[in-house]
């Protein structure tokens, strides 16, 4: 919460607009919030035009002091709860990020393929804030079905990657008054001991982290 109030987050999207055409993919683009209005408008335009895996959100700047502090504690914070939730051990934390969904923010349907064997979302916005939406919603067949509300300190965990049944999911649009905190969460992925290593793709991980593949 303090990092959000101290403007330590960057706007993030995976879509850009060129005239009437949309270029959307796995490449994550981050920028200063004060410079993000055109990018936010482009993301909305592309979502309404083509749908699919498009997002409009904020992420904690990986170069910030807040990120460096969390980096030292996030594994100890998540690992015990995650292992309890899935009923077994996890191995390596492949990546994580802290997100903030302001009013109008959303994350389109996707599967997390290439990022690990198990995904987690730890919700961090106190329940007395007035925002609505921001549910983690999973597909059932060809329609969106089961939804998990972002209750404070709740942990959602689900299998992804090789050997797991693809589980399409999304974050529904947030509606929040100006005085409310956004939907805050820490999201990441772990590997599972002995599981198929092909579930982790260096190229996809580097795209998630905003790095180039060597």
């Amino acid at each position: 919460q303090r990092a959000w109030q101290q403007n330590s987050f960057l706007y993030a999207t995976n879509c850009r607009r060129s005239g009437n055409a949309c270029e959307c993919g796995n490449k994550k683009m981050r920028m200063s919030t004060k410079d993000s209005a055109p990018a936010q408008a482009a993301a909305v335009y592309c979502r309404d035009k083509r749908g699919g895996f498009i997002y409009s959100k904020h992420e904690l700047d990986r170069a910030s002091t807040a990120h460096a502090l969390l980096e030292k504690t996030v594994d100890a914070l998540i690992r015990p709860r995650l292992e309890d939730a899935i009923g077994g051990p996890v191995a390596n934390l492949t990546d994580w990020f802290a997100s903030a969904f302001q009013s109008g923010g959303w994350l389109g349907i996707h599967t997390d393929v290439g990022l690990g064997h198990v995904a987690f979302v730890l919700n961090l916005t106190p329940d007395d804030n007035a925002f609505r939406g921001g549910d983690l919603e999973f597909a059932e067949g060809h329609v969106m079905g089961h939804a998990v509300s972002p209750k404070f300190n709740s942990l959602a965990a689900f299998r992804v990657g090789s050997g797991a049944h693809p589980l399409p999911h999304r974050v529904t649009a947030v509606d929040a008054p100006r005085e409310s905190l956004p939907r805050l969460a820490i999201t990441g992925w772990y590997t599972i001991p002995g599981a198929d290593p092909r579930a982790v793709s260096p190229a996809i991980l580097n795209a998630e982290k905003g790095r180039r593949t060597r």
Side-chain angles (χ1 to χ4, degrees):
Q1 296 176 40
R2 184 176 300 173
W4 174 258
Q5 293 163 346
Q6 293 175 344
N7 299 315
S8 297
F9 281 71
L10 300 173
Y11 177 70
T13 187
N14 65 330
C15 233
R16 70 176 70 206
R17 178 181 178 183
S18 179
N20 292 327
C22 292
E23 301 173 12
C24 309
N26 283 328
K27 183 178 180 181
K28 181 175 290 188
M29 295 171 282
R30 300 185 183 93
M31 65 199 73
S32 169
T33 299
K34 66 181 178 63
D35 300 323
S36 68
Q40 293 191 48
V44 171
Y45 172 85
C46 293
R47 178 199 62 189
D48 294 344
K49 180 178 181 179
R50 51 162 283 180
F53 179 44
I54 299 172
Y55 53 81
S56 180
K57 59 179 179 173
H58 289 76
E59 292 186 3
L60 183 62
D61 187 351
R62 292 178 183 247
S64 68
T65 300
H67 191 280
L69 291 172
L70 268 175
E71 185 76 52
K72 298 176 181 178
T73 61
V74 67
D75 181 59
L77 176 68
I78 299 296
R79 183 182 294 267
R81 293 185 62 180
L82 182 59
E83 291 181 333
D84 183 63
I86 68 173
V90 294
N92 297 320
L93 176 62
T94 60
D95 191 30
W96 68 275
F97 63 89
S99 63
F101 288 79
Q102 285 185 295
S103 191
W106 81 93
L107 173 59
I109 191 166
H110 63 290
T111 61
D112 287 357
V113 168
L115 295 170
H117 295 113
V118 60
F120 68 85
V121 180
L122 176 64
N123 295 293
L124 296 174
T125 305
D127 292 336
D128 59 0
N129 278 266
F131 81 84
R132 295 176 294 177
D135 292 345
L136 178 61
E137 191 174 38
F138 296 92
E140 295 179 352
H142 296 289
V143 298
M144 301 309 294
H146 181 66
V148 179
S149 298
K151 299 295 185 182
F152 177 68
N153 201 34
S154 62
L155 180 74
F158 51 99
R159 296 293 181 98
V160 296
S162 181
H165 182 71
L167 191 61
H169 55 282
R170 67 183 179 184
V171 174
T172 61
V174 169
D175 179 14
R178 183 178 297 273
E179 66 273 11
S180 172
L181 285 169
R183 176 196 185 271
L184 299 168
I186 296 175
T187 298
W189 303 269
Y190 278 87
T191 57
I192 293 176
D196 191 339
R198 292 174 297 177
V200 179
S201 164
I204 293 176
L205 271 175
N206 283 331
E208 173 63 31
K209 295 175 181 179
R211 300 173 182 167
R212 294 181 179 176
T213 303
R214 297 188 180 187

